Amino acid sequence: MNAPVPVAIEDLRAALEAVVGQSHVSRRSLPPRKVPSQARNQITGDDAVRLRRGEPPAIGAAAWLVQPGSATEVAEIVALAGRAGAAVIPVGSGARAAGRDAPAGGRPRLYVDSRRMSHVLHLDETSLVVHVQAGLTALALERILVPRGLTLGDFPPSTLGSTIGGLLAVRTPGKSSARHGTVEDAVLGLSAVLADGRTIHTRVAPRRASGPDLARALLGSEGRLGFITAAVLRIHRRPEARFLAAFALPSLEDALAAVRLALREEAAPAALRVFEGADARAHLGESVCDEEQAVLLVATAGATDLAACDRDLVASAATAMGGAVLDDAVAEKWWRRRTGQERDPQAPPPALQVTAPAGREATVARAVAAAAERLGARARVHVSRFEADGAVEFFTFVEPDGEVAAGERSAAIRAAAEQAAEQAGAILLGSSPPGLEPYERQLERLLDPHGVFDPELTREPA
Amino acid sequence: MQRVALDPDRLRRELLPIVGERRLSMRASDLASYGRDMWPRLLIGIAAGRLPADLPHVVVWPETEREVAAVVRAARALGAPIVPYGGGSGVCGGTVPVLGGVTIDLKRMAEIRSVDRDSLLCDVEAGANGERFERELNRRGTTLGHFPSSIYCSTVGGWLACRAAGQMSTKYGKIEDRVAGLTAVTGRGDIIHTDGPARALRGPDWTQLLVGSEGTLAVITSARLRVSPIPELRILRGFEIESVAHGVEAIRRVMHRGLRPAVVRLYDEVDTFINHVPLFGRGRGGGAAGDDKGEERDPLERAPEPAAGGGALPEIPPKGDRGGASEGLFGRALSLLSPGAEPARRLAGRLRSGAINAVLSRPRLVNGLAGPLAEKVSRRGCRLIIGVEGARIRTEVEARLVMGELERAGATDLGEEPGRHWLEHRYDVSYKMSPVFRSGLFVDTMEVAATWERLMDLYRAVRQAISEHAVVMAHFSHAYPEGCSIYFTFFAPVVGAEKTYDAIWQAGMAAASRVGGTISHHHGVGLLKGPAMLGEHREAMAILRALKASFDPDGIMNPGKLGLPAALARRA
C-alpha cells in the first residue's frame, strides 16, 4: 500500500471541492444558524452570550467551511486533512464555541459543518429505534417522530437546538430527561470517522458482553477521537397520559428529601424540578411561596395507571415532608416552558451549572450561596435530574438591586461559586477525573497521531 | 500455547516482599487449579483425562489495591503476563493463562466497605463473593438485583470484567447499568478511579470502557455500585402462549408500554417440552413431583433451597437427605444416570445413556422430532414466566398492567405456581452439569441478543446453525425496550466433541453476526469468542487496540483474550 500523498495548501480547496462540490466549500464565516426559540433561553453561560450576539466563530487565514452531504464525504475530507496537515473541526448547531481564532501561520483548518447530513436513515418502529445522521437536530427529529406517536424523550428545550452529533460529543447533564437520561444514554450504535479516514460502526444491540462498550470512547470526547457521523438511538412511544403537580415545601432540604422519598418508592417521573424560594418566585410568581421555602414540580407520563401512581407517590412524599399542594396553573406554567411552548421571561439563563453528588445537594447549594454573598450578590438555585449519582444544580446570581449579575461581575461571582461548589464536593462541567488524563492523551496519540482532530496541537506529536 | 520463559526464582524473589510467603504459591496443585475456569471445552478435555495445559507460573492472593499495583509493576518489569481471577466460574476460558505468568486471585479482597441506604450506593472490593455480598446487602435492607446463575461462585470483579447479567436484569439492568464507578490497576501499574464521586462530565466513559474488558486493560479492585431497596412485593406467574413468535410479540408489547418486569422468560417449544411439560398429567411445580422414592442425591448435586423467610436467594442445601425433585423427561433421565443409584439402576442407567447417546448423535433427527412432537404431545406451545417486584404500591399497579398486556396478547394465565417453582429451582441447572458429563455428553450454552426487528431471524439462524451438530433448545430472557436476548442450550456426545464443539461455535457466531445480532449478551468473550470479535466490531477494533496500547503498553494484561494477540508487546 502506497504512503498517502501529501497535499499542498494551494491545492487544498480544489481537493475539497472535488469531494463535496464547489458550492459546499467557502471561505465565508459560518452563516448564523437559526436557534429555535424554545432553545434560546436555555443555553447557559458564554455560549449563550455569543449566540445571542449572532457571532459565528472567527475564520482565520487558512480556513474553509465545508459542508459534506454524507458520511463517505466526511471520511474523504478527514483523509484529505491528514495528507494536507490540516485540522478538522466538527460543527453542529454552532452553539458551542467550535472555532477560536486560528493562530497566525497555524495549520489550515477545515470547519466541517454537518447540516447537510440531517436525514433519518431508518426508523424501526418494531424495536423503537431510529438511525439518524449526526447533523439532524433534536428538534427536527422530534418533528419527524411526533406525528407517528413517537418521541426521543422528555428532553428540555436546551437539547432541541443541538444536533445529535453535538449532543453525543459533548456531555451536558442538564440536557437530559429524568426518565431517559441524556441522549448519550440512548445510543445503541454509532458511526464515526477516525483520524486516518477509516469509518467505524459499533454494533447495534440492546446490550452486549463482547468487550468494552467501544462507542463510549467517542461519546463525550468532543470530537477529539473521531467525527461522529450517525447514531442509532432508542426512542419511545408518546405516553398515554401525562400528569402535572406542584407543591410548596418548608425548605430546600425538605423538598430534596421529598424527591428522595418518592424515588425510593420507585416513582419514575418524566421530569422533576426543585426551585429554592427566591428562584421559584422569580420564575413562577411571587405568590407561589416565601423566600425560605421551596417549590417541587413534577410531571409524570406513561401508561395511565402508572403515571397516576407516580404522581401520587410524589404527592405523598411532598405531604410527608410538610408540603402544600399548589394551584394547577403553577405546574402548567412550568411545563409549558419546559416543553418550549412558552418562553420564560426570566432571561438570561443560569450562569452556572454543577453536578452535586447524592446527599450533598443542599450543602453545595448553600456553599455557592455563601460564596455569592461574600461578593455582595445573591444566588438563586433550582435542581433537576436526580439520580443515585447526584443532581444537577443551576445557579443564577443576582445583585442587591434585583438585577441579574452580568459581564465581569458575573464572571467573578461565578469563579468564586465554582471554587466553593468544588470544595463542597460538586463536579463542574468540563471536568474529568485527573488520574485518567494520561490515558486519554495516549488514546488521542494512538488514534490521531497527526492531530487531525486537535486544532491547537495541545499535545506533543506522536 | 507457548508459555513465556520466566525464571521462577526471580519471580518468587520479586513477589514475595509484596504478598508474603502464605499468599504466594508455585505448588503444582495450585497451578493446575488456576489453569481453567468452567469453559465446557476445557471440561471436555478434562473428562477425557487431559489436564489443563496452560498453567500460570505463580498464583498470588493480594489483600490491598496497593499490593495489586505492586504485583502488576513487578510483573511488568519481568515481562510476566497478569491474569486476574475471581470465582473462576466463567464459561469462555477468560482466566486461562495462555502464556503462563502471574494469576492474581482477588478473593482476599472481599470487603464490603460501605452501604449507604440514603444515596443507595455501595462500595465493595472486587473479590467479594456474589452470594455473600447479596446477603450482606439484604441484611442492610438493600439488594443489588443481580442474580446470575453463578452467584454462589462468582465475584463482583468477575461480573464487571465480563459485563454480566442476572435473571432479573429487565428491571435491575445488567451489571454495567448498576456501576457508578470503579477503582482498577492498569497494565502500567497505576491505580485509577473512574467516575467518582459522580459521573465525569467530559471525555470517554472510562467506567464503561473497563467494564467488559475481561482483564485485558486493568485489574478491577473495587467498585461503587447502585443498590435498590429490597422489594416489598414480588409477584411471579406462569403463562402459556401459542408459539415463540407470539411470546416474543407479547413481551415486546409489555416493554413498549413502559413496563419493567423483573423476570421475563419465554421457553421455546423444545425447552418447554423437555423441562416444563408435565408427564402423566402431573404439572411441573404443581406439588411434589418426585418419583424417586426416597432416593438420596449427592449433596453436591442439590441446588440451594429457598430460605424459610422468603427472599430471592435460596440457602445452600442443609445436610441430610432430601428427595430430589425431578423436572420433566430430561430431569428424570439424568437422575437415573446419577452415580448415587444402586448397581441395577446404574446398569439400566448406562443402557439408557447409551440409547440417549445414540439418539443424540443424530441431532437433526431429535431437533426435528422434538418440535412437532412437542406440539403433538403437549399441544401447549410455549411456557412464559413473568415476575414483577419492587416498592409495594407501584408494583401492584405495574403487575396488573403487565398481566393485562400479556392476556391481551393471547397468553393464558397458569397461576402463581410455575413462577414460584422457577424462583425456587432456578439454580438447579448448574448442578446438572456433572451428571451430564458423566453420562457421556457435554452441554454448553450460547447467549446472543438483537433488536426486536431481527430477533426471530436471530433465533432461526443460530438454532439452525447449532442443530446441525447438537440437540438444541432455547429460551428468551433479559428483555429490553429495544430487543431481547436468546439463550441456547445444546447437548452432544463427548466422543469427538472438540471438533463438534468448535464447529458449533464457529457456525453459531457467524450466524449471529450475519443477521445483525451480537455474539454475546452476558457470558463474555474470553478465548472462546476471540475469533468472532473481528466480525462483531470490524473497524471499531481499532479503538480496542488503541485502548489496549494505552492501558497496557507491554501487553501483559490477560494476553490472548477479547480477540487480542496472545503475545507480549515487548520483552522486558
Side-chain angles (χ1 to χ4, degrees):
Chain A
M1 187 155 161
N2 300 329
V5 178
V7 172
I9 293 184
E10 311 83 75
D11 303 326
L12 189 49
R13 186 187 186 124
L16 289 169
E17 287 177 352
V19 173
V20 299
Q22 200 173 18
S23 53
H24 299 300
V25 181
S26 81
R27 290 292 300 273
R28 287 197 322 271
S29 301
L30 274 174
R33 188 133 182 196
K34 188 165 186 295
V35 177
S37 54
Q38 299 96 314
R40 211 168 287 147
N41 258 10
Q42 304 297 325
I43 302 167
T44 62
D46 299 330
D47 297 341
V49 174
R50 274 192 42 257
L51 200 68
R52 275 203 305 284
R53 291 213 292 254
E55 249 174 43
I59 295 224
W64 289 269
L65 175 69
V66 191
Q67 293 176 343
S70 71
T72 313
E73 288 180 10
V74 173
E76 290 179 48
I77 293 166
V78 171
L80 195 54
R83 284 161 33 218
V88 168
I89 298 156
V91 177
S93 60
R96 173 114 169 148
R100 296 176 200 84
D101 290 334
R107 290 186 301 159
R109 293 181 166 205
L110 307 179
Y111 291 90
V112 181
D113 182 332
S114 62
R115 72 182 64 193
R116 287 178 63 218
M117 291 167 43
S118 53
H119 297 104
V120 170
L121 298 171
H122 179 51
L123 174 58
D124 175 1
E125 294 193 51
T126 306
S127 315
L128 287 183
V129 154
V130 70
H131 188 187
V132 300
Q133 288 182 317
L136 184 66
T137 62
L139 180 64
L141 178 56
E142 274 297 278
R143 288 207 174 118
I144 292 168
L145 294 175
V146 165
R148 291 170 167 81
L150 303 168
T151 176
L152 190 54
D154 287 311
F155 292 100
S158 57
T159 317
L160 297 173
S162 304
T163 58
I164 298 299
L167 289 167
L168 299 182
V170 180
R171 188 172 298 138
T172 318
K175 292 185 177 178
S176 63
S177 101
R179 271 203 309 185
H180 304 136
T182 59
V183 179
E184 199 180 325
D185 297 327
V187 171
L188 293 166
L190 203 64
S191 300
V193 175
L194 300 180
D196 61 6
R198 262 191 299 182
T199 300
I200 66 163
H201 306 281
T202 67
R203 187 163 287 272
V204 177
R207 283 289 184 280
R208 290 182 293 174
S210 53
D213 187 350
L214 299 174
R216 306 283 148 189
L218 297 174
L219 299 171
S221 295
E222 297 163 355
R224 296 177 71 94
L225 295 174
F227 190 122
I228 296 172
T229 53
V232 179
L233 304 173
R234 180 186 307 126
I235 55 177
H236 307 270
R237 295 249 175 85
R238 305 255 302 153
E240 284 166 32
R242 282 194 184 282
F243 299 102
L244 300 171
F247 308 90
L249 283 107
S251 71
L252 178 65
E253 281 83 350
D254 289 325
L256 295 169
V259 168
R260 291 285 164 205
L261 200 53
L263 294 180
R264 203 182 201 81
E265 289 297 311
E266 298 190 322
L272 201 55
R273 177 172 289 197
V274 169
F275 279 103
E276 158 268 342
D279 216 30
R281 289 157 64 90
H283 285 269
L284 302 166
E286 307 252 308
S287 59
V288 77
C289 71
D290 297 331
E291 289 218 345
E292 325 77 58
Q293 292 182 315
V295 170
L296 166 60
L297 296 146
V298 61
T300 65
T304 312
D305 290 352
L306 218 45
C309 177
D310 284 339
R311 174 205 56 201
D312 295 342
L313 289 172
V314 175
S316 305
T319 311
M321 299 311 301
V325 179
L326 291 171
D327 192 75
D328 282 346
V330 176
E332 278 159 22
K333 174 155 56 175
W334 166 65
W335 191 246
R336 278 199 304 278
R337 293 184 191 153
R338 174 74 173 57
T339 51
Q341 294 164 55
E342 190 183 289
R343 283 184 58 178
D344 189 338
Q346 263 299 310
L352 176 64
Q353 181 187 125
V354 304
T355 297
R360 306 199 63 90
E361 296 96 340
T363 318
V364 167
R366 300 276 178 234
V368 168
E373 220 168 304
R374 280 195 289 276
L375 291 174
R378 171 94 195 253
R380 294 191 333 226
V381 62
H382 60 259
V383 190
S384 64
R385 182 83 163 103
F386 295 87
E387 279 209 310
D389 289 32
V392 185
E393 304 191 346
F394 298 84
F395 294 94
T396 302
F397 304 117
V398 178
E399 303 286 14
D401 61 4
E403 287 302 307
V404 174
E408 273 183 29
R409 186 81 177 124
S410 172
I413 302 171
R414 184 182 157 150
E418 279 179 351
Q419 203 178 36
E422 259 192 318
Q423 271 166 4
I427 306 205
L428 306 180
L429 269 190
S431 63
S432 31
L436 281 143
E437 178 107 352
Y439 293 88
E440 189 173 350
R441 295 286 87 82
Q442 178 67 343
L443 203 58
E444 285 172 8
R445 265 194 291 269
L446 289 160
L447 287 172
D448 185 16
H450 305 295
V452 172
F453 295 128
D454 180 16
E456 277 114 48
L457 278 178
T458 52
R459 49 185 163 86
E460 318 87 64
Chain B
M1 287 207 212
Q2 187 64 19
R3 250 175 160 208
V4 162
L6 292 171
D7 175 7
D9 292 328
R10 191 161 164 225
L11 199 51
R12 170 182 279 275
R13 263 203 318 278
E14 297 294 327
L15 296 175
L16 214 47
I18 303 170
V19 291
E21 189 69 56
R22 290 188 60 225
R23 294 189 284 115
L24 180 153
S25 171
M26 291 178 168
R27 283 209 301 272
S29 53
D30 286 331
L31 300 183
S33 303
Y34 286 89
R36 51 154 277 206
D37 55 14
M38 292 293 285
W39 187 19
R41 198 179 192 287
L42 293 175
L43 300 180
I44 290 169
I46 291 170
R50 290 193 294 280
L51 288 179
D54 296 314
L55 304 183
H57 287 79
V58 61
V59 184
V60 294
W61 289 265
E63 285 177 349
T64 66
E65 69 200 20
R66 277 223 292 273
E67 285 182 7
V68 174
V71 168
V72 172
R73 277 186 236 118
R76 203 181 164 196
L78 291 164
I82 291 275
V83 179
Y85 190 102
S89 64
V91 290
C92 305
T95 55
V96 173
V98 299
L99 297 179
V102 182
T103 288
I104 300 183
D105 184 331
L106 274 298
K107 290 194 290 290
R108 290 199 68 84
M109 294 173 58
E111 195 194 330
I112 299 163
R113 293 179 184 150
S114 67
V115 180
D116 184 340
R117 293 186 58 169
D118 292 319
S119 62
L120 291 177
L121 283 169
C122 80
D123 193 339
V124 58
E125 290 187 321
N129 167 273
E131 182 212 353
R132 284 190 214 127
F133 176 47
E134 176 63 21
R135 290 207 196 287
E136 182 56 35
L137 290 177
N138 293 167
R139 270 193 281 278
R140 306 203 208 185
T142 56
T143 175
L144 187 61
H146 186 77
F147 301 98
S149 39
S150 62
I151 192 172
Y152 296 89
C153 55
S154 55
T155 61
V156 171
W159 299 342
L160 291 164
C162 299
R163 292 185 95 91
Q167 293 143 352
M168 300 193 178
S169 69
T170 302
K171 176 184 175 75
Y172 295 106
K174 291 179 72 207
I175 198 68
E176 64 262 32
D177 299 307
R178 303 206 68 88
V179 60
L182 296 176
T183 300
V185 175
T186 69
R188 298 198 209 176
D190 297 331
I191 300 175
I192 56 168
H193 308 279
T194 66
D195 287 327
R199 190 175 182 189
L201 293 183
R202 67 157 301 283
D205 188 338
W206 299 110
T207 299
Q208 293 299 324
L209 290 172
L210 289 177
V211 173
S213 60
E214 301 190 23
T216 60
L217 302 179
V219 179
I220 297 168
T221 52
S222 70
R224 284 168 44 251
L225 301 173
R226 300 189 185 102
V227 295
S228 301
I230 287 209
E232 291 166 347
L233 183 61
R234 171 177 294 129
I235 296 167
L236 282 156
R237 289 192 99 72
F239 286 81
E240 206 68 57
I241 194 152
E242 190 182 320
S243 71
V244 164
H246 285 87
V248 163
E249 177 60 16
I251 298 169
R252 189 184 72 93
R253 282 165 57 157
V254 166
M255 300 305 294
H256 283 183
R257 233 174 135 209
L259 307 171
R260 295 290 176 267
V263 181
V264 177
R265 297 176 81 81
L266 171 69
Y267 297 89
D268 79 354
E269 288 89 347
V270 179
D271 201 316
T272 301
F273 171 61
I274 289 179
N275 286 315
H276 299 266
V277 168
L279 292 182
F280 317 122
R282 228 31 177 319
R284 178 170 192 241
D291 66 338
D292 357 42
K293 330 264 180 285
E295 181 191 340
E296 191 178 318
R297 278 178 65 190
D298 188 327
L300 290 177
E301 289 176 24
R302 290 203 301 266
E305 283 176 29
L313 202 53
E315 294 285 351
I316 297 211
K319 304 258 183 287
D321 59 347
R322 167 193 159 226
S326 60
E327 302 108 50
L329 173 67
F330 197 77
R332 290 153 204 263
L334 285 180
S335 67
L336 289 170
L337 296 168
S338 149
E342 319 137 14
R345 273 186 163 229
R346 247 181 279 142
L347 180 61
R350 262 207 288 279
L351 286 174
R352 268 194 206 85
S353 86
I356 288 176
N357 254 344
V359 169
L360 285 178
S361 64
R362 294 191 187 77
R364 247 172 284 165
L365 179 67
V366 178
N367 286 324
L369 277 180
L373 181 61
E375 284 161 50
K376 282 203 187 92
V377 167
S378 67
R379 252 183 230 118
R380 286 196 209 178
C382 302
R383 179 65 58 95
L384 173 62
I385 304 289
I386 287 284
V388 183
E389 68 177 45
R392 175 167 302 275
I393 298 168
R394 199 173 194 277
T395 299
E396 277 169 359
V397 176
E398 191 167 39
R400 265 201 321 271
L401 290 170
V402 170
M403 309 309 169
E405 199 61 48
L406 289 174
E407 294 194 325
R408 264 194 299 282
T412 311
D413 189 350
L414 298 173
E416 270 191 358
E417 194 46 48
R420 217 151 40 78
H421 185 95
W422 169 80
L423 185 70
E424 289 167 11
H425 294 279
R426 68 200 197 273
Y427 295 107
D428 287 7
V429 63
S430 311
Y431 294 76
K432 294 233 179 62
M433 227 174 156
S434 289
V436 168
F437 271 86
R438 275 198 294 275
S439 72
L441 307 173
F442 77 86
V443 60
D444 198 1
T445 58
M446 194 180 294
E447 29 72 62
V448 294
T451 52
W452 296 113
E453 195 184 45
R454 302 170 184 174
L455 198 66
M456 290 308 291
D457 282 346
L458 181 65
Y459 172 64
R460 284 186 281 259
V462 175
R463 185 154 185 271
Q464 165 74 19
I466 299 176
S467 64
E468 295 288 314
H469 311 276
V471 178
V472 58
M473 57 196 199
H475 67 258
F476 296 70
S477 61
H478 308 286
Y480 302 93
E482 58 272 5
C484 195
S485 167
I486 313 177
Y487 199 89
F488 295 91
T489 306
F490 51 93
F491 304 85
V494 165
V495 175
E498 266 143 348
K499 244 181 69 177
T500 308
Y501 188 90
D502 293 340
I504 291 171
W505 276 95
Q506 210 265 320
M509 296 283 88
S513 288
R514 194 182 66 241
V515 301
T518 180
I519 58 175
S520 177
H521 173 263
H522 63 272
H523 282 174
V525 175
L527 282 174
L528 172 61
K529 296 165 209 171
M533 282 289 277
L534 195 55
E536 169 89 349
H537 295 289
R538 294 171 292 167
E539 289 85 355
M541 280 299 277
I543 300 187
L544 181 58
R545 283 191 278 263
L547 284 168
K548 178 71 170 169
S550 171
F551 277 76
D552 180 24
D554 295 349
I556 60 170
M557 301 299 286
N558 213 2
K561 311 294 166 46
L562 289 192
L564 293 165
L568 299 182
R570 65 162 198 252
R571 302 299 313 271

